[in-house]
Amino acid sequence: PAWGPAAGRQRAFSTTRSACSKNRRLRQKRALSEKKLTRYFVDHRRVRVVGGQGGEGGQSFYSEPRKIFGGPDGGNGGDGGHVILKADLQTKSLSSVLSFYQGFHGERGGSKNCYGANGACVYVKVPVGTLVKEDGVTVADLTQHGEEYVAAYGGAGGKGNRFFLSNEKRAPTLCTPGEPGQERVLRLELRTTAHAGLVGFPNAGKSSLLRALSNAKPAVAAYPFTTLNPHVGVVRYEDYEQVAVADIPGLIRGAHQNRGLGIAFLRHIERCCFLLYVVDLSVSQPWIQLQDLKYELEQYKEGLSARPCVVIGNKIDLAESRINLPLLKEKIDDRVIALSALTGDNLEELLLHLKELYDTYVKTEQSQGQSPVKW
């Protein structure tokens, strides 16, 4: 069709079109798949740390007109910088931690009794819940945001010739070099810090339940070992309290002997204050699953299965589950909450009981004079 006086010309670009406004929107970050996320999630790392070397002491003599023999005035060298590990809530994995860190060196001492500048410290951000080990011995446990640990101390600066001035030696030429920094080889282990831990066999519905409770988006599929690393979701309540729930990868029989994903993820359960056992009600004899799960936890660490817990009977929307539910309640003494993570049936009961477990944990920590973990 004719465009009037503008016929034959190319239509001008319009910034009011919906297609253009759509392109100007901020693009949301793509959700990584479980396979790609595994590359970024690292829960153990070997790190070599070396403190900065101290600066050399200065050697000089003061001299000016009418004061030729002013004496020694070489200043001391600066101290080397430390390597410091700092717990940070924004860091979720050890993937950003390098295998080698070294502090900055101190500067050399100058003339006129000027001291050399100290070397700057190197701060390494690690996730909250990082365990620091040396030769198999735990040397630090970073469980609070902002907590620091000096992994390697910097060397002391050398002494200038002014330091060696005495009545016997009025013109010392001696100055000492700076000391080397401390060198250590450390092993960092990440143990997820969460209030509640979802424990269950593969395909029990832990990831689906975490999706229903929080905004976390773990991968969900119909094959075992879909979850290859822990996910932490936050459940928010009306009183502004936040409960962190960790989705631990599925355990199998013999996990304490490092079968399946084994000990690599059993250690993440140690930090959980209370446990949520997720049982598939659609299988025959679901109480056997619960017994096997508690056995694996107890074999890994004594007393781990005795923590406050609740049994979640998942997949209640299936016909087999309604038959097995009363049988499960007869076989075990723990409280059983039947729900469906897929349809959302009876999620309210779990949310209310989760808040009760959290409030009990907070009161227990405060009564013992300790500060509870807050998210």
Side-chain angles (χ1 to χ4, degrees), residues 41-44 85-94 125-133 138 140-147 187-194 232 267-272 373 375:
F41 184 85
V42 178
D43 59 353
H44 62 277
L85 303 179
K86 186 173 183 179
D88 182 46
L89 271 176
Q90 301 299 322
T91 306
K92 302 301 181 182
S93 170
L94 294 175
K125 290 185 178 181
V126 296
V128 174
T130 300
L131 217 61
V132 185
K133 292 185 177 182
T138 302
D141 189 1
L142 306 177
T143 58
Q144 300 291 333
H145 175 68
E147 191 174 356
R187 291 192 176 273
L188 307 182
E189 291 184 5
L190 173 59
R191 302 190 177 183
T192 304
T193 303
V232 179
R267 60 169 173 258
H268 291 279
I269 306 176
E270 289 188 51
R271 297 298 178 93
C272 298
V373 177
W375 275 72

Side-chain angles (χ1 to χ4, degrees), residues 42-205:
V42 178
D43 59 353
H44 62 277
R45 181 75 84 184
R46 179 183 179 274
V47 183
R48 178 169 164 258
V49 289
V50 181
Q53 184 172 356
E56 297 181 359
Q59 179 187 0
S60 64
F61 291 90
Y62 185 73
S63 178
E64 67 175 9
R66 300 182 183 179
K67 195 174 183 181
I68 303 175
F69 302 104
D73 67 346
N76 298 338
D79 297 333
H82 310 319
V83 179
I84 301 175
L85 303 179
K86 186 173 183 179
D88 182 46
L89 271 176
Q90 301 299 322
T91 306
K92 302 301 181 182
S93 170
L94 294 175
S95 58
S96 60
V97 178
L98 305 179
S99 59
F100 176 73
Y101 288 96
Q102 183 174 18
F104 291 92
H105 301 319
E107 294 185 3
R108 181 173 183 170
S111 59
K112 299 183 180 179
N113 297 323
C114 291
Y115 282 32
N118 295 333
C121 297
V122 174
Y123 286 87
V124 182
K125 290 185 178 181
V126 296
V128 174
T130 300
L131 217 61
V132 185
K133 292 185 177 182
E134 184 179 20
D135 298 330
V137 180
T138 302
V139 295
D141 189 1
L142 306 177
T143 58
Q144 300 291 333
H145 175 68
E147 191 174 356
E148 297 180 358
Y149 172 71
V150 181
Y153 286 94
K159 302 298 182 182
N161 62 339
R162 177 72 174 81
F163 178 82
F164 299 98
L165 177 64
S166 64
N167 291 331
E168 292 78 15
K169 190 172 250 187
R170 304 304 299 171
T173 58
L174 176 63
C175 62
T176 60
E179 296 182 2
Q182 184 184 15
E183 182 174 354
R184 303 170 71 184
V185 176
L186 304 175
R187 291 192 176 273
L188 307 182
E189 291 184 5
L190 173 59
R191 302 190 177 183
T192 304
T193 303
H195 299 120
L198 295 173
V199 185
F201 283 99
N203 276 34

Side-chain angles (χ1 to χ4, degrees), residues 221-232:
Y223 52 85
F225 297 112
T226 309
T227 303
L228 298 177
N229 57 77
H231 292 266
V232 179

